[in-house]
Amino acid sequence: MLKTNRYALNQNWIPPLGLALLLGLGWVFWNNFHQNKLVSDQIALDDAKNFTYSVSQFRNFYANTILPPLQKKGITVTHDYHNLSGSVPLPATFATDFGEYLSSNTQSYKVRLFSDLPFSWRENGGIRDAFEAYAMEELRKNPTEPVWRFEEKDGQILLRYAIADTLGENCVSCHNSYPGTPKTDWKTGDVRGVLEVTRPISGLNQTLEKSAQKTFAVMMVMALVTFIFISLILKRLRNTLKAAQQLVAEKTEINDRLNSEIFQKDQLAVQLESAKNRALESSKMKSEFLANMSHEVRTPMNGIIGMTALLKETPLNEQQADWLNTVSSSANALLALLNDILDFSKIEAGKLQLDPKAFELEPLIQSIVKSIEPKAAEKNLSLAVHIEKRLPEWIISDDMRIRQILLNILGNAIKFTHTGAIQLFVTSSGEHNDYLKISVQDTGIGIPEFAKQKLFQAFSQVDGSTTRLYGGTGLGLTISQQLATLLGGEMGFESQEGTGSTFWFTLKLTPTSPAENPIEPQPLAKPSTSDSLAQTDPIKILLVEDNLVNQKLAIALLNRLHYDADIAENGAIALEKLINGHYDLVLMDCQMPVKDGYQTTQELRKWDSALSKTPVIAMTANAMQGDEEKCYAAGMDDYIPKPINPKVLAEKLAFWHAYILSQKN
């Protein structure tokens, strides 16, 4: 019974479906015909417009280009040029005769120039029918808009298209003085008549009707084919239904198996999600560790580098100054090295950026050697430097990275050499001597064959005993090799166990000169206009810093610039001082106990008083990627990373001092 009802239902679908199909096809046919007619009408309009424009422009060309030279030669311009030998027609007469000529030589277009004004010399030049009267009236009101209409005449559909015949500047005097002119007060732009083009479009309509008939026939055939196709589909569906019932049992069994597999996959997905979360957590912990380590390392390095810079400004003898320069150079090199180690994840990802600039090659090599000579002297090792004479004095590269690689290689040579000598060779290499090669040869313990393959792997040593005897992280050679690659070269070694090793690296050699790349010195900031401001218009500064060494350094730098500052050991104390005493500027550390710099600044900005607008400059050891943006997001106005660059500090204070005074005034 169920099967019979389903079959009857399928049969009842056929008549409504067929009717809907026919109605749909009829609508599609009508819409297509209508759209085609609109398109054909528009084509006729555009065609008539272009033709009218061409006739008008040809008349203007005659009036503005051809007639003036003829008139200068004394040739008569008249409407009666047929009867007056050696004369030429007026522009209006030319346009009328030209239109009659075009109308007599084509079956497609009729051109007529008419007017409601009585030009005495023109026969049949007046208004002849209602459209011409309508066009004349409308074009006098709005000469810039064409007038058109579709009309049926003698079984033909015609398009009548009219534009205003306006008076040009060159024609005004002629019209006002010409005998028989209907008026003598013509002005530029006056409508003297109408230029009409009549175009039959019956041919287009016939083509359209034939196309519509063909389209309708094709659509009927398609409807019949579709109807037959649907009938076949219904029959096929009935047969398929029987087969489907037979497959239900099989599908049920398959579904059971699939459900079991899906359950297992869900379990696996849960495990994968758990593993992913653990990996993300591990990555987050690693990032936090690196950020904290960066802060803890930069804090004492700020004291070392800052105090060294201040000490260099005191009276020193030549030897003391040399020692102090070595300390300063080594401290800066150590800071750069520590930054790279702490940011090792960036190096692994290949995102380390170089800073190429011009520098003198030999002084760089000598300063590196001088910084490591005391370690060689402690072990009674001789340290010799051999620099090829033909090398350029100045090159362009990243001197900090060269220093980092060479310090690592020299340090390893001293570490693993107990007696003998260490020699440093700086030479050119490559087929065209376009590479710089730096080699370090020692007489140390050498490297056994089994350990050579893993020498450049991260966190690896020759064996466990090497770490116990000599220490080290196993990162130095890995970082150095990657840096050499970034410098456009490579790194390698030759070694024999018990005899010694030679480690070398190359880099792209780009010679230059000081004139091509002037190097601006970076001295400690000297008193400037900001110093005079500090003395003549002093401001009150609050230093928020928990580290005693950094307090001393910051106060010393500020005093040197003639600024005085009060100290707050944390954010909570800073807020109390801001309430009880007026301060113009706050230098804010970010990582402090009790209340950090971010919380302190956010709370300050929420105050409902003028104190909430107090400028806050971050002066922090949080100097990893994104830390500066975090300071601005907390409401701070500027940012100075540690170790503090005295010149940057002086520039920032000068800017904000001037800003504060401008706000007061």
Side-chain angles (χ1 to χ4, degrees):
M1 183 66 181
L2 182 62
K3 293 180 181 180
T4 303
N5 289 340
R6 184 179 290 114
Y7 176 76
L9 183 62
N10 290 338
Q11 293 291 334
N12 292 334
W13 283 356
I14 296 176
L17 187 62
L19 179 60
L21 183 62
L22 291 174
L23 290 175
L25 290 173
W27 180 85
V28 170
F29 169 75
W30 176 86
N31 184 66
N32 181 62
F33 179 79
H34 179 68
Q35 293 296 327
N36 285 340
K37 188 174 185 309
L38 291 177
V39 170
S40 67
D41 289 349
Q42 187 61 46
I43 291 172
L45 277 171
D46 292 341
D47 196 19
K49 176 182 177 181
N50 293 333
F51 190 83
T52 306
Y53 178 79
S54 298
V55 173
S56 175
Q57 289 299 307
F58 190 61
R59 178 225 178 121
N60 292 336
F61 174 77
Y62 175 78
N64 298 328
T65 305
I66 296 177
L67 277 186
L70 296 177
Q71 289 177 318
K72 288 181 180 179
K73 292 181 179 181
I75 295 176
T76 303
V77 182
T78 177
H79 68 277
D80 195 23
Y81 71 98
H82 290 291
N83 300 319
L84 185 60
S85 177
S87 63
V88 293
L90 290 167
T93 306
F94 171 79
T96 303
D97 292 352
F98 182 61
E100 292 176 356
Y101 172 78
L102 291 177
S103 300
S104 63
N105 285 275
T106 177
Q107 297 181 354
S108 299
Y109 292 93
K110 302 296 181 185
V111 181
R112 169 171 158 74
L113 183 66
F114 61 88
S115 175
D116 58 350
L117 296 175
F119 289 92
S120 59
W121 60 84
R122 290 185 56 187
E123 297 180 1
N124 300 322
I127 295 175
R128 298 189 303 190
D129 57 27
F131 173 76
E132 291 184 355
Y134 170 74
M136 191 76 246
E137 180 182 357
E138 292 298 317
L139 290 172
R140 285 202 183 280
K141 295 178 182 176
N142 191 355
T144 60
E145 292 295 326
V147 177
W148 54 273
R149 179 186 296 172
F150 289 100
E151 293 183 355
E152 183 176 357
K153 183 178 181 181
D154 299 331
Q156 265 194 330
I157 302 298
L158 302 176
L159 169 62
R160 302 183 68 178
Y161 189 90
I163 62 172
D165 179 25
T166 57
L167 194 64
E169 183 178 356
N170 296 335
C171 299
V172 172
S173 60
C174 178
H175 273 66
N176 286 331
S177 61
Y178 194 81
T181 181
K183 53 186 289 189
T184 59
D185 57 347
W186 292 98
K187 299 185 299 297
T188 301
D190 283 353
V191 178
R192 58 190 169 191
V194 173
L195 177 63
E196 177 190 354
V197 171
T198 303
R199 182 191 190 283
I201 62 171
S202 298
L204 289 174
N205 286 338
Q206 291 175 1
T207 302
L208 180 63
E209 289 177 2
K210 291 180 180 179
S211 176
Q213 292 172 358
K214 291 180 181 179
T215 302
F216 184 73
V218 171
M219 294 174 67
M220 290 298 101
V221 172
M222 290 177 60
L224 180 61
V225 172
T226 303
F227 188 75
I228 295 173
F229 182 69
I230 292 174
S231 300
L232 293 174
I233 290 176
L234 291 175
K235 182 178 180 181
R236 180 66 179 271
L237 287 174
R238 290 195 298 269
N239 296 332
T240 303
L241 180 62
K242 296 179 182 179
Q245 291 173 341
Q246 297 175 359
L247 294 174
V248 169
E250 298 177 10
K251 288 186 177 181
T252 301
E253 183 181 353
I254 294 173
N255 286 338
D256 291 340
R257 290 201 302 268
L258 287 175
N259 288 334
S260 177
E261 293 178 3
I262 290 172
F263 176 77
Q264 295 175 6
K265 289 180 179 179
D266 289 342
Q267 291 294 104
L268 179 60
V270 171
Q271 296 173 5
L272 290 174
E273 184 67 22
S274 177
K276 175 185 174 183
N277 291 336
R278 289 196 300 271
L280 292 174
E281 183 66 23
S282 175
S283 176
K284 180 181 178 182
M285 292 175 63
K286 176 183 176 182
S287 298
E288 291 176 352
F289 169 78
L290 290 174
N292 290 333
M293 183 60 66
S294 174
H295 180 274
E296 295 304 317
V297 171
R298 284 177 179 274
T299 298
M301 289 305 297
N302 180 51
I304 295 171
I305 294 175
M307 289 299 184
T308 302
L310 289 173
L311 188 58
K312 288 169 70 175
E313 296 296 315
T314 63
L316 300 169
N317 61 39
E318 184 177 350
Q319 187 180 41
Q320 289 172 332
D322 183 58
W323 289 346
L324 195 57
N325 286 332
T326 302
V327 171
S328 177
S329 176
S330 299
N332 284 301
L334 177 60
L335 177 64
L337 180 60
L338 289 174
N339 284 340
D340 284 340
I341 294 176
L342 291 172
D343 202 15
F344 184 64
S345 59
K346 181 172 66 176
I347 301 176
E348 285 180 314
K351 297 180 180 179
L352 191 66
Q353 299 294 322
L354 296 179
D355 182 23
K357 56 181 175 293
F359 62 90
E360 287 185 275
L361 178 59
E362 185 170 347
L364 172 67
I365 299 298
Q366 296 294 353
S367 69
I368 296 172
V369 172
K370 185 174 290 187
S371 69
I372 207 164
E373 276 181 342
K375 290 186 178 180
E378 288 176 3
K379 301 181 70 173
N380 294 320
L381 299 174
S382 64
L383 182 56
V385 181
H386 309 278
I387 301 177
E388 188 177 286
K389 295 299 183 183
R390 64 177 180 176
L391 288 174
E393 294 183 10
W394 289 74
I395 66 171
I396 297 177
S397 188
D398 191 329
D399 58 332
M400 184 64 71
R401 301 306 177 187
I402 296 173
R403 179 186 295 273
Q404 183 175 340
I405 300 173
L406 187 51
L407 280 174
N408 179 261
I409 298 176
L410 286 170
N412 285 342
I414 295 173
K415 182 191 299 185
F416 296 109
T417 302
H418 303 297
T419 60
I422 296 171
Q423 298 190 75
L424 171 61
F425 299 91
V426 183
T427 62
S428 59
S429 68
E431 183 178 353
H432 302 289
N433 293 322
D434 53 350
Y435 283 87
L436 180 69
K437 184 175 183 179
I438 302 178
S439 308
V440 176
Q441 181 181 346
D442 64 51
T443 57
I445 62 175
I447 303 170
E449 288 295 329
F450 72 87
K452 291 182 178 180
Q453 291 184 350
K454 64 177 183 178
L455 196 61
F456 289 108
Q457 296 177 6
F459 306 105
S460 67
Q461 297 276 14
V462 172
D463 56 34
S465 62
T466 302
T467 305
R468 292 193 297 272
L469 289 173
Y470 301 101
T473 63
L475 278 175
L477 287 177
T478 302
I479 296 173
S480 297
Q481 185 186 48
Q482 293 177 346
L483 290 176
T485 301
L486 287 174
L487 290 169
E490 58 182 343
M491 186 173 185
F493 70 97
E494 297 88 29
S495 181
Q496 185 175 352
E497 188 175 7
T499 301
S501 305
T502 299
F503 279 82
W504 56 266
F505 69 96
T506 62
L507 56 104
K508 190 68 176 176
L509 183 59
T510 308
T512 187
S513 65
E516 296 175 358
N517 295 275
I519 307 299
E520 294 185 3
Q522 300 293 330
L524 197 64
K526 298 293 182 183
S528 61
T529 54
S530 64
D531 300 326
S532 60
L533 281 177
Q535 297 177 70
T536 58
D537 294 288
I539 59 173
K540 291 189 67 176
I541 299 176
L542 179 62
L543 173 66
V544 188
E545 172 64 67
D546 65 315
N547 184 274
L548 182 60
V549 174
N550 288 336
Q551 289 177 6
K552 291 181 179 179
L553 174 61
I555 292 297
L557 292 173
L558 290 172
N559 289 342
R560 192 178 171 284
L561 297 170
H562 304 293
Y563 287 102
D564 293 323
D566 294 337
I567 298 175
E569 289 78 11
N570 57 58
I573 297 175
L575 292 175
E576 292 180 6
K577 285 181 174 290
L578 284 168
I579 294 174
N580 298 325
H582 175 74
Y583 291 94
D584 300 297
L585 180 66
V586 179
L587 299 177
M588 182 76 71
D589 187 22
C590 290
Q591 193 164 321
M592 297 178 292
V594 183
K595 183 169 290 187
D596 63 30
Y598 305 114
Q599 297 170 326
T600 304
T601 306
Q602 289 171 346
E603 187 169 334
L604 173 64
R605 296 306 184 215
K606 294 178 181 177
W607 286 1
D608 188 17
S609 68
L611 293 176
S612 65
K613 305 297 184 182
T614 304
V616 178
I617 302 177
M619 200 161 67
T620 174
N622 292 341
M624 297 188 70
Q625 186 175 1
D627 286 332
E628 183 174 357
E629 291 75 10
K630 186 177 179 181
C631 292
Y632 292 135
M636 300 183 193
D637 301 287
D638 215 330
Y639 175 84
I640 302 175
K642 294 176 183 176
I644 299 171
N645 185 324
K647 181 181 178 183
V648 173
L649 176 63
E651 291 173 350
K652 301 284 188 182
L653 288 175
F655 172 81
W656 286 105
H657 195 157
Y659 171 79
I660 292 167
L661 293 181
S662 68
Q663 295 299 306
K664 288 182 177 180
N665 294 333

